[in-house]
Amino acid sequence: MRTFDCSRIDTTPGGQCVFSPPAAFAGGEDAYAKWLKDEYERDPLTKQCMVVLMRYQGGTLRPFRPTIIGPFAGRLQKACERLQAHLKATAGRHPDG
């Protein structure tokens, strides 16, 4: 069962966190970024957790700051920053154009 504990997020392959790739994952940071994007697009839980994490990381849900650990912690933080920039850039746009 995958989990999402906002206080401690682990990116270690094989972990139970929604942001942990499978145990057999052997890729580097670029492969993790691709895996994370694919999960975001495929899995509603990942999408919801990513938005929550983005809001915590961006400081909009204060004063809480989660601890992100594991080999892909920096890459996950960058993904949150990119998501926040994307959402700001597209705010107010209608999905159909």
Side-chain angles (χ1 to χ4, degrees):
M1 172 188 229
R2 297 181 324 153
T3 63
F4 181 61
D5 175 356
C6 290
S7 66
R8 186 172 186 273
I9 296 165
D10 190 359
T11 64
T12 303
Q16 296 302 309
C17 181
V18 70
F19 297 116
S20 297
F25 185 82
E29 288 194 6
D30 290 342
Y32 178 80
K34 182 182 179 335
W35 173 82
L36 186 59
K37 182 179 180 192
D38 291 347
E39 287 296 297
Y40 178 87
E41 292 173 355
R42 178 194 70 77
D43 181 27
L45 175 63
T46 300
K47 186 175 281 192
Q48 291 170 357
C49 293
M50 186 77 172
V51 171
V52 169
L53 178 59
M54 174 207 68
R55 294 200 57 205
Y56 279 125
Q57 287 297 109
T60 57
L61 297 175
R62 294 184 185 254
F64 182 75
R65 288 290 284 206
T67 300
I68 303 174
I69 62 168
F72 305 112
R75 194 59 138 166
L76 179 56
Q77 289 172 330
K78 286 180 186 177
C80 287
E81 292 166 8
R82 282 194 310 274
L83 178 59
Q84 186 172 33
H86 170 75
L87 292 176
K88 280 184 180 181
T90 59
R93 290 188 193 169
H94 190 275
D96 294 329

